[in-house]
C-alpha cells in the first residue's frame, strides 16, 4: 500500500511537469528573422518584409548582419524618419541580435553606420498584445 501511494504521487508530479512544460511552450512568441534569409542589409526592403506579418508581445526579432558593416539602433519616430543616430534607445552590434518585444506600441530600428539609414536600412513595426 505504501508503494502504491508513491506511484500515485509520482504520476501526479509527472503530470504537473508535463502540463507546465506545454504551457511554457505555448506562451513563447514567434521568432522573426528581420529581412528573411538576406538578413539586416542595405538591400532588404523592410517595408515589404513586414507586410502580412503581425508582431506580438513575446515575439523575438532577430537581426543578422555583418558586425563590421552594420549595427542596429532602436530609435524614436523622429530619429527613424530623419535618420538621426543620437540619442538612441538601444544599440546592438553583435551581428546576431535578438530583441524580445516586451510591450505594445510602435518601434523603430535603423542602421547607424554611414548613410545606411538614408539608403533605406531601417525598420518600423507595430507590436500588438
Amino acid at each position: 500500500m505504501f508503494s502504491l501511494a508513491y506511484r500515485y504521487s509520482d504520476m501526479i508530479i509527472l503530470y504537473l511537469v508535463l502540463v507546465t512544460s506545454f504551457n511554457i511552450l505555448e506562451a513563447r512568441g514567434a521568432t522573426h528573422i528581420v529581412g528573411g534569409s538576406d538578413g539586416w542589409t542595405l538591400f532588404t526592403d523592410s517595408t515589404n518584409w513586414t507586410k502580412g506579418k503581425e508582431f506580438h508581445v513575446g515575439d523575438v526579432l532577430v537581426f543578422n548582419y555583418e558586425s563590421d558593416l552594420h549595427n542596429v539602433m532602436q530609435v524614436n519616430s523622429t530619429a527613424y524618419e530623419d535618420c538621426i543616430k543620437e540619442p538612441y534607445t538601444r544599440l546592438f552590434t553583435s551581428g546576431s541580435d535578438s530583441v524580445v518585444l516586451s510591450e505594445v506600441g510602435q518601434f523603430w530600428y535603423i542602421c547607424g553606420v554611414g548613410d545606411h539609414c538614408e539608403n533605406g536600412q531601417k525598420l518600423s513595426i507595430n507590436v500588438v498584445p
Side-chain angles (χ1 to χ4, degrees):
M1 182 115 163
F2 184 68
S3 64
L4 183 59
Y6 272 115
R7 284 189 209 143
Y8 182 70
S9 66
D10 288 346
M11 288 175 45
I12 290 173
I13 291 171
L14 178 61
Y15 173 78
L16 292 174
V17 167
L18 288 173
V19 168
T20 303
S21 298
F22 290 132
N23 286 339
I24 289 170
L25 289 174
E26 188 176 317
R28 227 176 117 191
T31 299
H32 303 277
I33 310 297
V34 176
S37 60
D38 292 335
W40 178 243
T41 71
L42 277 170
F43 307 107
T44 302
D45 181 353
S46 296
T47 303
N48 192 44
W49 177 79
T50 59
K51 284 185 182 170
K53 291 180 176 52
E54 284 191 359
F55 301 95
H56 296 271
V57 171
D59 287 0
V60 178
L61 292 180
V62 178
F63 291 88
N64 292 319
Y65 56 93
E66 292 184 48
S67 61
D68 57 334
L69 299 178
H70 305 287
N71 64 25
V72 179
M73 293 179 158
Q74 184 177 344
V75 296
N76 63 28
S77 62
T78 302
Y80 174 83
E81 289 298 325
D82 299 334
C83 292
I84 300 168
K85 299 169 187 160
E86 299 270 344
Y88 51 81
T89 307
R90 295 171 72 188
L91 174 65
F92 303 95
T93 60
S94 77
S96 181
D97 305 308
S98 295
V99 179
V100 177
L101 303 176
S102 58
E103 58 187 288
V104 171
Q106 192 75 25
F107 295 90
W108 303 272
Y109 303 90
I110 65 172
C111 180
V113 175
D115 60 357
H116 293 192
C117 178
E118 291 85 346
N119 286 307
Q121 192 173 3
K122 54 189 191 174
L123 171 69
S124 174
I125 62 165
N126 184 44
V127 179
V128 297

